[in-house]
Amino acid sequence: MSTTIRQQIVTAVETRLKTISVANGYQTALGVSVNLCRPVKPTDAEAAVGSLNIWDIEDDVVPHLSGIHKHSLRIDVYITKTGSGAAAWMRKAVADISQAIRQDRKWSQLAIDTKPGKNEYELDQENKLTGTVRYPFTIEFYTLSFDDFTQP
């Protein structure tokens, strides 16, 4: 069975973000805790080392040329970290995600380009300091009209 272009892109994003490690030249080891569309908060153990959750939130599809649709797939990456150094660590994690995206913004020719979004940070100290950041970006790609499996 074929795989949609959208799924191929989401899989490529997940695979790339899993490479985030100090050994690979990044500032964090965020790649050890990458989840796809996980509907729950990370466990305390995951948040202590830093957790990443990927959601493909929406796909804005518009006609482009005759027989071709242009997709703007919004990806939201949520990073969660607990502990006294959470804020500084999250800034490093955001830089790591940017570095990972920068490696190939066309995702092995599946996409036209990747566009940044507005990062949003939140810190909470109810029981212990917990930081969360939402890192959105949009991946643009083409498919044949009403055919999510085939690129023109």
Side-chain angles (χ1 to χ4, degrees):
M1 172 160 262
S2 297
T3 304
T4 65
I5 304 303
R6 178 178 180 165
Q7 182 59 55
Q8 290 177 55
I9 290 171
V10 169
T11 299
V13 169
E14 179 185 23
T15 300
R16 175 98 46 85
L17 296 181
K18 284 183 175 181
T19 67
I20 296 175
S21 70
V22 175
N24 286 338
Y26 294 93
Q27 298 181 67
T28 69
L30 188 57
V32 301
S33 184
V34 173
N35 299 288
L36 188 57
C37 300
R38 185 175 180 178
V40 296
K41 290 184 176 183
T43 65
D44 288 344
E46 289 170 331
V49 296
S51 176
L52 183 149
N53 195 7
I54 304 164
W55 283 86
D56 54 321
I57 299 296
E58 68 181 355
D59 186 11
D60 184 19
V61 182
V62 295
H64 179 63
L65 299 171
S66 179
I68 297 174
H69 283 165
K70 181 179 181 183
H71 298 252
S72 295
L73 177 62
R74 190 177 111 207
I75 305 281
D76 279 4
V77 174
Y78 292 90
I79 307 162
T80 305
K81 174 80 168 137
T82 57
S84 61
W89 184 91
M90 287 190 312
R91 289 184 201 98
K92 289 180 182 180
V94 164
D96 283 349
I97 293 169
S98 293
Q99 180 180 339
I101 292 170
R102 187 173 58 244
Q103 287 180 24
D104 176 13
R105 292 173 29 180
K106 293 184 179 184
W107 305 95
S108 298
Q109 301 305 313
L110 290 169
I112 308 161
D113 198 8
T114 302
K115 310 273 178 155
K118 176 184 173 183
N119 298 333
E120 297 174 349
Y121 291 77
E122 182 179 315
L123 289 171
D124 180 25
Q125 196 165 352
E126 187 175 316
N127 296 323
K128 62 179 166 257
L129 184 63
T130 301
T132 303
V133 63
R134 182 177 73 90
Y135 184 112
F137 56 96
T138 301
I139 300 174
E140 297 175 336
F141 64 99
Y142 295 125
T143 63
L144 296 180
S145 294
F146 300 103
D147 181 354
D148 291 343
F149 298 91
T150 310
Q151 291 186 301

